[in-house]
Amino acid sequence: MPALIEEGRAKVNLTLKVVGRRVDGFHDLESVVAFADCADRLTLEPGSALSLAMSGPLADACGDTSDNLVLKAARLLGEQVVDLKVGHFTLEKVLPVAAGIGGGSADAAAALRLLARLNELSLDDSRIMAVALQTGADVPVCVASRACDMTGVGEGLLPLDLPKMPCVLVNPRVPVATKNVFKALGLRHGELLIGATDVMMQAPSWPEGHAVDDWIAALKRGTNDLEAPAARIEPVISEVLSALRAAKAVRLARMSGSGATCFAIFETDADAEAAGEKLRADHPRWWMHAGTLS
């Protein structure tokens, strides 16, 4: 059987509200999630044994392959599906690690899609989504790899009609551990940031249709509650945001996830390309991608 290929697209949190911290220690979130047109590439060659090899410009940043989420997801699925067909994965890594854009989660989701194809499983199979959530909070939204309003600890997914928007993604090549950012946020177990009535009664409302102006206006009313604590841990995040906000024709700039990757949305593709070129010239050590979000 020929090799199977999937892409793990970068996940971008356009908004991220921390609702509170559960008594079990996990944080409830509400986030508008989009996906960029930059991605890792995962190949599966069917075989009798499960294995993983790394390639690509950022492969060395991934650490020990035995800890990779690709293998974790595959092993967990093997516990759910009798006689699961597996094989040799090759991951071409181009997205930065510990960067707030779900690179590892997108890779794990790509692995689940590949294994679903190999084993003739539907992506709606309850075992696929259960394993996705068990692998990591961002993995379920990455399985479908489409814009969603994500709630809870990643299990609530409401598809959104998000238009394509020109963007620039910037990572200063500084890894940020998510657990450290939540620790800096400082919520106690069982503490809510908004009232219980708000949690139950105020469901998020987002524009219907593809009017970019409506979406930009709605997104500007949101925030990323992790931006301030992440910037306290890594002040370079503030430098990245300042550089993006100073770019010509920028409409919105914000940090994604727990950082340190930040994004900016622009008027046109040409504006995004021009901003990307200037940022590359001014900050040659930063990782950067100019493209689209959708």
Side-chain angles (χ1 to χ4, degrees), residues 6-234:
E6 286 279 348
E7 289 190 337
R9 296 170 66 199
K11 170 226 63 166
V12 178
N13 299 90
L14 300 180
T15 67
L16 198 161
K17 176 184 287 295
V18 180
V19 176
R21 191 176 188 185
R22 299 181 177 186
V23 293
D24 61 10
F26 290 101
H27 290 78
D28 276 317
L29 309 176
E30 191 268 316
S31 176
V32 174
V33 176
F35 288 86
D37 57 350
C38 55
D40 293 336
R41 183 182 176 93
L42 188 64
T43 302
L44 173 59
E45 299 175 74
S48 58
L50 176 64
S51 60
L52 171 66
M54 306 292 295
S55 66
L58 295 179
D60 291 343
C62 292
D64 191 341
T65 56
S66 64
D67 296 327
N68 195 280
L69 292 184
V70 167
L71 292 181
K72 180 180 179 180
R75 289 172 181 141
L76 288 171
L77 189 60
E79 295 174 5
Q80 298 292 324
V81 179
V82 177
D83 297 326
L84 182 75
K85 297 176 184 177
V86 292
H88 177 69
F89 287 103
T90 301
L91 176 60
E92 182 183 357
K93 192 67 182 171
V94 300
L95 299 178
V97 176
I101 52 175
S105 297
D107 299 338
L112 291 175
R113 291 196 301 272
L114 287 169
L115 291 170
R117 288 168 58 189
L118 182 61
N119 291 272
E120 299 182 347
L121 301 174
S122 168
L123 290 182
D124 293 332
D125 190 307
S126 61
R127 295 169 294 182
I128 295 285
M129 295 312 291
V131 165
L133 188 59
Q134 193 176 355
T135 304
D138 280 337
V139 180
V141 74
C142 291
V143 170
S145 195
R146 63 158 296 176
C148 279
D149 186 12
M150 180 175 69
T151 54
V153 292
E155 77 279 13
L157 300 174
L158 175 67
L160 295 175
D161 240 350
L162 193 72
K164 286 189 175 182
M165 294 183 287
C167 78
V168 172
L169 302 181
V170 176
N171 182 278
R173 298 187 186 272
V174 174
V176 178
T178 300
K179 63 178 182 179
N180 293 342
V181 177
F182 277 109
K183 183 178 180 180
L185 187 64
L187 294 187
R188 300 182 303 274
H189 287 226
E191 181 180 356
L192 291 175
L193 283 183
I194 60 178
T197 301
D198 295 330
V199 175
M200 293 185 291
M201 301 296 293
Q202 294 184 7
S205 177
W206 299 103
E208 296 180 2
H210 286 72
V212 175
D213 287 346
D214 291 344
W215 272 100
I216 294 294
L219 293 171
K220 282 183 175 180
R221 292 194 291 270
T223 61
N224 182 343
D225 290 343
L226 299 181
E227 193 172 292
R232 290 197 297 270
I233 293 171
E234 291 293 349

